[in-house]
Amino acid sequence: MTLGLINANPIVHAKKERIARTEDLHCDDAVDALDIYDILFESHSVRDIRDPEHPYSLEQLSVLSEESVTVDEKRGRILITFTPTIQHCSMATVIGLCLRVKLMNSFPPHFKVDIKVSPGSHANEESVKYLQKRQSCQRSVGRPLGFHKPRPNKPNYSR
Amino acid sequence: MGEALEGNLELKEIQRLEGHSDRVWSIAWNPVAGASGVPAMLASCSGDKTVRVWRESGRDWDCVAVLDEQHTRTVRSCAWSPCGKLLATASFDATAAIWEHAGGDFDCVSTLEGHENEVKSISWNASGSLLATCSRDKSVWIWEVLPGNEFECVSVLQGHTQDVKMVQWHPYLDILFSCSYDNTVKVWVEDIDSDDWHCVQTLGESNNGHSSTVWALSFNSAGDEMVTCSDDLTSKIWRSESQKQQVGDGYAPWKHLCTLTGYHDRTIFSVHWSRDGIIASGAADDAIRLFVENKDGQVDGPSSPSYKLLLKKEKAHDMDVNSVQWSSKETRLLASASDDGAIKIWKLESIS
């Protein structure tokens, strides 16, 4: 099915040494950008979200870094800005959806998550608008907000 | 009309209606209830695949009906017929359903099939003789209401290039408006000669239109102005010479009048214009905002109006506000629906 890689030769950066945070600097369990970055890269769940085409993580390809994450815990808002490796990356929506799902699963529902591409980093800003569609995310991952047990239809309606 | 909108006003929460088990997408006030001793009635529709009907009972509100076992997916929109006896519902299951209110019950009397995927909105014209639906399949359908609760599709309108979010008939002319993820608002009229419908105007960026998804539109009571709201964080006011329009006059185009900018920092999902001229908006920042025309110090008169923020109700809900609707019977009464699964009823009044 694949005709060829969209970006056959990505630039790979050295993985940043992750220092274990032994000291909890925030006494009140406040969430900061680094916490969110760590959530996105927890190895036992999404296994360092990988670029769909290569065995490198999004971090190694500089698609995502700690600077990509902004959080305002008081207002319950998270902003992720990522940089696709090439201007015409068609995987941008897939990457965006993965990031959104990961965050949805880690934060209470009232948190507002905005996922954008860095300005000027993607040729088709229109397709990137798709990243903000709420339903596309739910549809893609099959996870409704609530649970409703479906009941059989009553066939008593006219045309 | 009504008391002057001066002094300290507040949007007071009168009631919180709970019952839906998923986000509430849309609410609709019954157009005939709420006056002459008939208690007010409200319909709501939800991601839980049901529609609930609520009725005022003294100071309380009761859920008098749960319309279930019909739609197999989210119910996205609901609309009462002008006579108040029929309720139309639009669903992600690609159908619309018509329910008849008989006695205390609601029976599903018809289903409208044909759209290829999620139906997003449904609207009755002023006389109740026509229905319109729109869908993620990019089309707008017009249905004729026939005797015996029969509905016949008379036109399938192509033109939008993306998901169509809402359809809304003009308050008294048989002119249909639709708005879309393609950033435009389209206006559809029927040919006098051919009985076919076509797009007579597209309000896009080139006519000072929106630069992102247009989520909703609403008309003032005179029908000569319209407000649209968008993902581009603005609302826009448009004007037409509709009031002068008679049959045979030809179509009076809509022109951009002004843009309300800088008031919202997240998507505006809903706008509704009250009979006494207050525009309510519901947005993705959980807030409800009210706007009125700014009549102070107007130099140039009605040709260059401006609008001001009357009030901002922060944290109106715990999550995104999907829909706001003024009651057409009781003044200053507003309903809102949210992703948090609740519906709230508000009264705009002076702070005592």
Side-chain angles (χ1 to χ4, degrees):
Chain A
M1 193 185 111
T2 357
L3 301 172
L5 297 176
I6 290 161
N7 184 11
N9 298 304
I11 300 166
V12 182
H13 301 265
K15 201 165 161 177
K16 192 171 165 182
E17 195 60 44
R18 223 165 288 159
I19 302 154
R21 291 164 97 195
T22 51
E23 202 184 303
D24 195 345
L25 298 167
H26 299 275
C27 307
D28 57 348
D29 285 331
V31 171
D32 68 1
L34 192 55
D35 291 327
I36 293 173
Y37 188 71
D38 285 342
I39 285 168
L40 291 174
F41 291 100
E42 263 170 351
S43 55
H44 55 272
S45 44
V46 183
R47 294 190 311 279
D48 283 22
I49 299 175
R50 298 208 172 270
D51 181 284
E53 290 193 328
H54 299 283
Y56 304 111
S57 72
L58 297 180
E59 183 186 24
Q60 288 170 301
L61 295 169
S62 281
V63 174
L64 202 64
S65 69
E66 284 159 31
E67 290 72 41
S68 311
V69 181
T70 320
V71 61
D72 181 345
E73 199 192 5
K74 195 171 158 205
R75 289 171 91 200
R77 297 193 184 186
I78 298 169
L79 171 65
I80 311 279
T81 309
F82 72 97
T83 310
T85 56
I86 51 165
Q87 283 276 328
H88 295 275
C89 177
S90 58
M91 293 296 180
T93 49
V94 174
I95 295 168
L97 282 171
C98 287
L99 293 171
R100 184 179 288 280
V101 169
K102 187 71 185 101
L103 291 169
M104 270 169 66
N105 287 336
S106 309
F107 286 89
H110 71 270
F111 261 76
K112 298 187 188 295
V113 175
D114 287 313
I115 301 180
K116 300 186 196 257
V117 286
S118 322
S121 66
H122 198 273
N124 189 354
E125 298 283 335
E126 267 300 306
S127 71
V128 170
K129 185 166 101 161
Y130 187 78
L131 289 176
Q132 289 296 97
K133 276 190 96 162
R134 296 176 295 173
Q135 274 137 268
S136 63
C137 183
Q138 283 175 226
R139 203 167 45 240
S140 302
V141 302
R143 178 181 170 273
L145 261 192
F147 177 73
H148 179 81
K149 190 173 164 201
R151 281 181 273 179
N153 264 347
K154 260 198 295 204
N156 65 346
Y157 47 82
S158 66
R159 187 178 45 82
Chain B
M1 205 198 299
E3 294 164 38
L5 292 165
E6 300 297 337
N8 289 327
L9 292 167
E10 62 167 342
L11 200 59
K12 191 171 156 195
E13 184 180 324
I14 302 290
Q15 193 82 191
R16 183 190 163 103
L17 308 177
E18 288 180 311
H20 282 297
S21 57
D22 202 316
R23 57 167 40 126
V24 186
W25 280 110
S26 188
I27 57 232
W29 290 96
N30 184 292
V32 304
S36 315
V38 178
M41 197 153 70
L42 185 73
S44 62
C45 57
S46 168
D48 68 11
K49 307 175 198 173
T50 74
V51 176
R52 281 177 178 251
V53 182
W54 313 82
R55 192 169 58 207
E56 199 176 20
S57 168
R59 299 186 77 90
D60 277 318
W61 282 76
D62 300 324
C63 178
V64 295
V66 178
L67 280 46
D68 59 1
E69 298 187 355
Q70 173 59 33
H71 288 301
T72 54
R73 284 188 62 192
T74 289
V75 189
R76 179 66 173 82
S77 170
C78 55
W80 296 95
S81 62
C83 65
K85 293 205 190 82
L86 299 175
L87 180 68
T89 57
S91 170
F92 283 359
D93 66 12
T95 74
I98 310 293
W99 306 77
E100 191 168 33
H101 185 198
D105 274 323
F106 284 83
D107 295 319
C108 180
V109 296
S110 193
T111 51
L112 278 45
E113 294 172 11
H115 278 294
E116 288 169 25
N117 50 46
E118 294 89 336
V119 188
K120 299 291 177 104
S121 176
I122 190 158
S123 176
W124 299 84
N125 71 342
S127 62
S129 63
L130 296 170
L131 259 181
T133 54
C134 64
S135 162
R136 185 169 66 86
D137 67 11
K138 307 171 195 163
S139 68
V140 172
W141 290 44
I142 298 186
W143 308 77
E144 212 170 277
V145 182
L146 301 170
N149 290 322
E150 294 282 313
F151 296 82
E152 186 185 318
C153 175
V154 295
S155 202
V156 174
L157 305 170
Q158 310 283 3
H160 280 297
T161 56
Q162 297 284 352
D163 183 5
V164 190
K165 299 295 189 188
M166 187 190 204
V167 277
Q168 186 72 28
W169 289 95
H170 185 271
Y172 55 85
L173 297 169
D174 280 346
I175 300 180
L176 182 67
F177 294 73
S178 60
C179 58
S180 166
Y181 183 82
D182 70 10
N183 309 351
T184 71
V185 174
K186 283 185 180 284
V187 188
W188 313 87
V189 304
E190 190 178 13
D191 281 330
I192 302 161
D193 313 314
S194 71
D195 276 355
D196 209 358
W197 292 76
H198 67 283
C199 177
V200 286
Q201 199 180 5
T202 298
L203 305 175
E205 278 187 81
S206 55
N207 344 54
N208 284 310
H210 290 288
S211 55
S212 191
T213 304
V214 187
W215 280 97
L217 60 101
S218 175
F219 295 93
N220 66 350
S221 53
D224 63 352
E225 285 182 10
M226 164 176 74
V227 58
T228 55
C229 66
S230 168
D231 186 60
D232 70 7
L233 314 182
T234 73
S235 295
K236 288 176 183 282
I237 312 287
W238 308 81
R239 178 180 283 159
S240 164
E241 298 299 294
S242 298
Q243 265 185 322
K244 296 185 193 155
Q245 192 161 346
Q246 310 283 338
V247 172
D249 261 4
Y251 172 72
W254 290 80
K255 292 179 182 145
H256 173 263
L257 205 56
C258 72
T259 297
L260 277 58
T261 191
Y263 296 104
H264 295 86
D265 64 343
R266 294 189 73 83
T267 303
I268 312 160
F269 288 122
S270 177
V271 271
H272 196 231
W273 212 325
S274 75
R275 292 179 102 89
D276 56 348
I278 309 170
I279 296 172
S281 75
D285 65 352
D286 315 345
I288 293 172
R289 291 168 177 78
L290 304 181
F291 298 89
V292 288
E293 198 174 343
N294 190 358
K295 298 226 156 81
D296 315 321
Q298 217 167 37
V299 177
D300 298 329
S303 57
S304 59
S306 69
Y307 283 75
K308 64 178 180 189
L309 178 73
L310 182 68
L311 117 64
K312 177 184 177 188
K313 185 76 183 179
E314 286 190 16
K315 296 235 164 288
H317 283 274
D318 298 327
M319 292 170 76
D320 293 5
V321 183
N322 294 321
S323 181
V324 285
Q325 282 277 301
W326 292 100
S327 161
S328 57
K329 287 291 184 211
E330 192 176 333
T331 53
R332 314 261 167 108
L333 194 69
L334 181 75
S336 62
S338 167
D339 274 359
D340 66 12
I343 298 145
K344 287 193 182 182
I345 299 180
W346 312 83
K347 183 76 178 176
L348 178 65
E349 49 190 33
S350 303
I351 297 172
S352 46

